[in-house]
Amino acid sequence: MKIWVPPPTSGACSMVEVNDENYTRVTEFVIVGFPGLHPSYFQLMAWFFCFIYVTTVVGNFLLVGMFLLERSLQKPMYIIMLSLALSDIGFATVALPKVIARWWWDDGRISFHTCLFQEQMIHYFGTLNSLIMMTMAMDRYLAICHPLRYPVLMTNLTMSGSTALSWISATVAPAVGTLDFTMTVSFCGPNRILQAYCDAVSLNALACSNIVPINKKSYGLAMFVLLAPFFFIVFSYANIVVSVMRIADAQGRLKTFSTCGTQGCVILLYYVPRFVVYSTPFIPNLIIPIDFRIGLTLLYSLFPPVANPFIYCFRTKEIRAILERWGHGWRNHTTERTKPNTISVITR
């Protein structure tokens, strides 16, 4: 049977289930978002995140469409960009609709199992993005540091296999964490998630059982997933910079540093704040305000999916040429449809 029980650390009541073993189990969570946000700003936040979601989906779907329609883009560099675009669409679709509903209709309720599924997918796509960026760094390293061997080492088949391996292996760490979580963690009252979506850090804070061993294991997995690809990315970009300094002229160096600098900023924005958020609970006497932590989480979660199509894709010469060709074709087609019919008069 189900009864209403006031949670001990929350101002709201939570729906819990009482079974024959005389313990309670939470069946529903409430996503709070920013606890300090005044209700008068709810609509503004909803519109903002709706804009972020639409921009992310449209920008990345445009890249997917171009890859499918243009055979010239079906090569290793764009295969990994396609994989990144699909991952970004997946992450935004898992995370943002509930965030928008939270502030648009003041509906933050989410069922227990839906929350666990969202938490699983959030960490899955986070792991996947890390592996994809490592693969992308490997591709750029081979292309710039070993240009003569690149066509042999990196074929469409090789890149397709690498991206498929990333999509499959990204399931391991989240699955291990979720399996430990569901088998050993119980929730018996507090159900207000101080975050914009369900994630391991926020859910662990609501657990009634001893979660210290699980926290340590989750942290170890998260650091491995983050730092192993990050160190490889740093190694790749360092070698790229050294190679460019040796062989390129001043203009080539400037162009390479501009591209690598922009990509490096996105990579740092993805890894550094995530490391800070994950490590804060394990650093004594270091406390981050809740609203700041949520804002930092949303920054590293949502900015890269919006920026990736413009940084990795639309700045490349081939994609700009395709977009210009499509634009010219659309304008010519529109002109032909709107051109008035003319009647030629032949005079003698």
Side-chain angles (χ1 to χ4, degrees), residues 258-279:
S258 174
T259 303
C260 291
T262 306
Q263 296 177 0
C265 289
V266 174
I267 290 171
L268 290 176
L269 184 62
Y270 181 84
Y271 282 100
V272 175
R274 193 181 295 263
F275 175 79
V276 171
V277 170
Y278 288 173
S279 301

mmCIF file of all heavy atoms in Angstrom, residues 258-279:
data_model
loop_
_atom_site.group_PDB
_atom_site.id
_atom_site.type_symbol
_atom_site.label_atom_id
_atom_site.label_comp_id
_atom_site.label_asym_id
_atom_site.label_seq_id
_atom_site.Cartn_x
_atom_site.Cartn_y
_atom_site.Cartn_z
ATOM 1 N N SER A 258 44.637 28.636 -34.030
ATOM 2 C CA SER A 258 43.277 29.149 -33.862
ATOM 3 C C SER A 258 42.287 28.002 -33.722
ATOM 4 O O SER A 258 41.427 28.003 -32.831
ATOM 5 C CB SER A 258 42.899 30.023 -35.061
ATOM 6 O OG SER A 258 41.549 30.425 -34.983
ATOM 7 N N THR A 259 42.420 26.999 -34.593
ATOM 8 C CA THR A 259 41.521 25.842 -34.535
ATOM 9 C C THR A 259 41.730 25.036 -33.251
ATOM 10 O O THR A 259 40.773 24.706 -32.538
ATOM 11 C CB THR A 259 41.740 24.932 -35.763
ATOM 12 O OG1 THR A 259 41.530 25.698 -36.953
ATOM 13 C CG2 THR A 259 40.790 23.760 -35.733
ATOM 14 N N CYS A 260 42.995 24.741 -32.945
ATOM 15 C CA CYS A 260 43.284 23.951 -31.747
ATOM 16 C C CYS A 260 42.923 24.714 -30.479
ATOM 17 O O CYS A 260 42.490 24.114 -29.493
ATOM 18 C CB CYS A 260 44.760 23.570 -31.722
ATOM 19 S SG CYS A 260 45.241 22.378 -32.991
ATOM 20 N N GLY A 261 43.109 26.048 -30.509
ATOM 21 C CA GLY A 261 42.766 26.839 -29.335
ATOM 22 C C GLY A 261 41.274 26.805 -29.041
ATOM 23 O O GLY A 261 40.856 26.648 -27.885
ATOM 24 N N THR A 262 40.455 26.919 -30.088
ATOM 25 C CA THR A 262 39.010 26.870 -29.900
ATOM 26 C C THR A 262 38.564 25.502 -29.403
ATOM 27 O O THR A 262 37.773 25.383 -28.459
ATOM 28 C CB THR A 262 38.292 27.196 -31.223
ATOM 29 O OG1 THR A 262 38.763 28.446 -31.714
ATOM 30 C CG2 THR A 262 36.793 27.288 -31.005
ATOM 31 N N GLN A 263 39.083 24.451 -30.043
ATOM 32 C CA GLN A 263 38.740 23.098 -29.602
ATOM 33 C C GLN A 263 39.251 22.827 -28.191
ATOM 34 O O GLN A 263 38.568 22.188 -27.387
ATOM 35 C CB GLN A 263 39.320 22.084 -30.584
ATOM 36 C CG GLN A 263 38.731 22.174 -31.975
ATOM 37 C CD GLN A 263 39.375 21.207 -32.947
ATOM 38 O OE1 GLN A 263 40.270 20.460 -32.595
ATOM 39 N NE2 GLN A 263 38.919 21.220 -34.193
ATOM 40 N N GLY A 264 40.433 23.349 -27.870
ATOM 41 C CA GLY A 264 40.985 23.152 -26.537
ATOM 42 C C GLY A 264 40.141 23.807 -25.457
ATOM 43 O O GLY A 264 39.985 23.251 -24.362
ATOM 44 N N CYS A 265 39.569 24.982 -25.774
ATOM 45 C CA CYS A 265 38.702 25.653 -24.794
ATOM 46 C C CYS A 265 37.463 24.810 -24.490
ATOM 47 O O CYS A 265 37.051 24.682 -23.326
ATOM 48 C CB CYS A 265 38.296 27.032 -25.306
ATOM 49 S SG CYS A 265 39.638 28.235 -25.307
ATOM 50 N N VAL A 266 36.865 24.223 -25.535
ATOM 51 C CA VAL A 266 35.686 23.381 -25.329
ATOM 52 C C VAL A 266 36.055 22.133 -24.538
ATOM 53 O O VAL A 266 35.322 21.695 -23.639
ATOM 54 C CB VAL A 266 35.051 23.006 -26.681
ATOM 55 C CG1 VAL A 266 33.906 22.017 -26.482
ATOM 56 C CG2 VAL A 266 34.538 24.249 -27.384
ATOM 57 N N ILE A 267 37.213 21.557 -24.831
ATOM 58 C CA ILE A 267 37.653 20.360 -24.115
ATOM 59 C C ILE A 267 37.898 20.672 -22.636
ATOM 60 O O ILE A 267 37.473 19.926 -21.744
ATOM 61 C CB ILE A 267 38.915 19.787 -24.772
ATOM 62 C CG1 ILE A 267 38.557 19.192 -26.142
ATOM 63 C CG2 ILE A 267 39.558 18.720 -23.891
ATOM 64 C CD1 ILE A 267 39.751 18.795 -26.978
ATOM 65 N N LEU A 268 38.571 21.800 -22.369
ATOM 66 C CA LEU A 268 38.803 22.187 -20.978
ATOM 67 C C LEU A 268 37.481 22.472 -20.265
ATOM 68 O O LEU A 268 37.312 22.120 -19.096
ATOM 69 C CB LEU A 268 39.712 23.410 -20.918
ATOM 70 C CG LEU A 268 41.174 23.183 -21.308
ATOM 71 C CD1 LEU A 268 41.928 24.506 -21.290
ATOM 72 C CD2 LEU A 268 41.844 22.187 -20.365
ATOM 73 N N LEU A 269 36.545 23.109 -20.983
ATOM 74 C CA LEU A 269 35.249 23.399 -20.386
ATOM 75 C C LEU A 269 34.483 22.119 -20.087
ATOM 76 O O LEU A 269 33.695 22.076 -19.131
ATOM 77 C CB LEU A 269 34.425 24.284 -21.330
ATOM 78 C CG LEU A 269 33.066 24.764 -20.831
ATOM 79 C CD1 LEU A 269 33.231 25.623 -19.586
ATOM 80 C CD2 LEU A 269 32.347 25.556 -21.912
ATOM 81 N N TYR A 270 34.732 21.083 -20.851
ATOM 82 C CA TYR A 270 34.057 19.802 -20.622
ATOM 83 C C TYR A 270 34.670 19.064 -19.436
ATOM 84 O O TYR A 270 33.948 18.491 -18.612
ATOM 85 C CB TYR A 270 34.159 18.941 -21.877
ATOM 86 C CG TYR A 270 33.475 17.597 -21.752
ATOM 87 C CD1 TYR A 270 32.107 17.465 -21.981
ATOM 88 C CD2 TYR A 270 34.190 16.460 -21.390
ATOM 89 C CE1 TYR A 270 31.475 16.236 -21.852
ATOM 90 C CE2 TYR A 270 33.572 15.232 -21.265
ATOM 91 C CZ TYR A 270 32.217 15.128 -21.499
ATOM 92 O OH TYR A 270 31.602 13.906 -21.365
ATOM 93 N N TYR A 271 35.999 19.068 -19.314
ATOM 94 C CA TYR A 271 36.667 18.226 -18.326
ATOM 95 C C TYR A 271 36.891 18.915 -16.980
ATOM 96 O O TYR A 271 36.661 18.305 -15.935
ATOM 97 C CB TYR A 271 38.015 17.758 -18.879
ATOM 98 C CG TYR A 271 37.893 16.632 -19.873
ATOM 99 C CD1 TYR A 271 37.962 16.861 -21.240
ATOM 100 C CD2 TYR A 271 37.702 15.325 -19.444
ATOM 101 C CE1 TYR A 271 37.849 15.826 -22.149
ATOM 102 C CE2 TYR A 271 37.589 14.277 -20.341
ATOM 103 C CZ TYR A 271 37.668 14.530 -21.704
ATOM 104 O OH TYR A 271 37.538 13.499 -22.594
ATOM 105 N N VAL A 272 37.359 20.159 -16.974
ATOM 106 C CA VAL A 272 37.770 20.791 -15.715
ATOM 107 C C VAL A 272 36.600 21.009 -14.760
ATOM 108 O O VAL A 272 36.657 20.596 -13.593
ATOM 109 C CB VAL A 272 38.520 22.108 -16.006
ATOM 110 C CG1 VAL A 272 38.830 22.836 -14.697
ATOM 111 C CG2 VAL A 272 39.815 21.825 -16.764
ATOM 112 N N PRO A 273 35.472 21.645 -15.190
ATOM 113 C CA PRO A 273 34.359 21.792 -14.242
ATOM 114 C C PRO A 273 33.785 20.453 -13.775
ATOM 115 O O PRO A 273 33.367 20.318 -12.624
ATOM 116 C CB PRO A 273 33.315 22.584 -15.047
ATOM 117 C CG PRO A 273 34.067 23.231 -16.148
ATOM 118 C CD PRO A 273 35.170 22.288 -16.470
ATOM 119 N N ARG A 274 33.776 19.463 -14.658
ATOM 120 C CA ARG A 274 33.279 18.138 -14.278
ATOM 121 C C ARG A 274 34.165 17.528 -13.178
ATOM 122 O O ARG A 274 33.668 16.939 -12.218
ATOM 123 C CB ARG A 274 33.255 17.225 -15.516
ATOM 124 C CG ARG A 274 32.472 15.932 -15.341
ATOM 125 C CD ARG A 274 32.545 15.130 -16.622
ATOM 126 N NE ARG A 274 31.886 15.813 -17.714
ATOM 127 C CZ ARG A 274 30.640 15.570 -18.115
ATOM 128 N NH1 ARG A 274 29.924 14.654 -17.499
ATOM 129 N NH2 ARG A 274 30.129 16.220 -19.133
ATOM 130 N N PHE A 275 35.480 17.706 -13.336
ATOM 131 C CA PHE A 275 36.404 17.215 -12.314
ATOM 132 C C PHE A 275 36.161 17.922 -10.983
ATOM 133 O O PHE A 275 36.178 17.292 -9.917
ATOM 134 C CB PHE A 275 37.841 17.434 -12.779
ATOM 135 C CG PHE A 275 38.876 17.083 -11.747
ATOM 136 C CD1 PHE A 275 39.234 15.762 -11.528
ATOM 137 C CD2 PHE A 275 39.484 18.078 -10.989
ATOM 138 C CE1 PHE A 275 40.183 15.438 -10.563
ATOM 139 C CE2 PHE A 275 40.429 17.758 -10.033
ATOM 140 C CZ PHE A 275 40.786 16.437 -9.819
ATOM 141 N N VAL A 276 35.904 19.221 -11.032
ATOM 142 C CA VAL A 276 35.660 19.987 -9.806
ATOM 143 C C VAL A 276 34.382 19.507 -9.119
ATOM 144 O O VAL A 276 34.355 19.273 -7.905
ATOM 145 C CB VAL A 276 35.575 21.494 -10.118
ATOM 146 C CG1 VAL A 276 35.112 22.282 -8.890
ATOM 147 C CG2 VAL A 276 36.922 22.005 -10.603
ATOM 148 N N VAL A 277 33.305 19.331 -9.896
ATOM 149 C CA VAL A 277 32.022 18.912 -9.314
ATOM 150 C C VAL A 277 32.136 17.520 -8.701
ATOM 151 O O VAL A 277 31.632 17.262 -7.598
ATOM 152 C CB VAL A 277 30.911 18.950 -10.380
ATOM 153 C CG1 VAL A 277 29.636 18.296 -9.869
ATOM 154 C CG2 VAL A 277 30.626 20.391 -10.784
ATOM 155 N N TYR A 278 32.810 16.606 -9.392
ATOM 156 C CA TYR A 278 32.933 15.247 -8.877
ATOM 157 C C TYR A 278 33.859 15.172 -7.666
ATOM 158 O O TYR A 278 33.656 14.330 -6.781
ATOM 159 C CB TYR A 278 33.465 14.311 -9.973
ATOM 160 C CG TYR A 278 32.487 13.988 -11.063
ATOM 161 C CD1 TYR A 278 32.878 13.280 -12.191
ATOM 162 C CD2 TYR A 278 31.152 14.394 -10.986
ATOM 163 C CE1 TYR A 278 31.979 12.972 -13.208
ATOM 164 C CE2 TYR A 278 30.256 14.102 -11.995
ATOM 165 C CZ TYR A 278 30.666 13.396 -13.097
ATOM 166 O OH TYR A 278 29.787 13.106 -14.102
ATOM 167 N N SER A 279 34.875 16.017 -7.610
ATOM 168 C CA SER A 279 35.892 15.919 -6.563
ATOM 169 C C SER A 279 35.530 16.692 -5.313
ATOM 170 O O SER A 279 36.092 16.410 -4.241
ATOM 171 C CB SER A 279 37.243 16.420 -7.103
ATOM 172 O OG SER A 279 37.658 15.660 -8.218
#
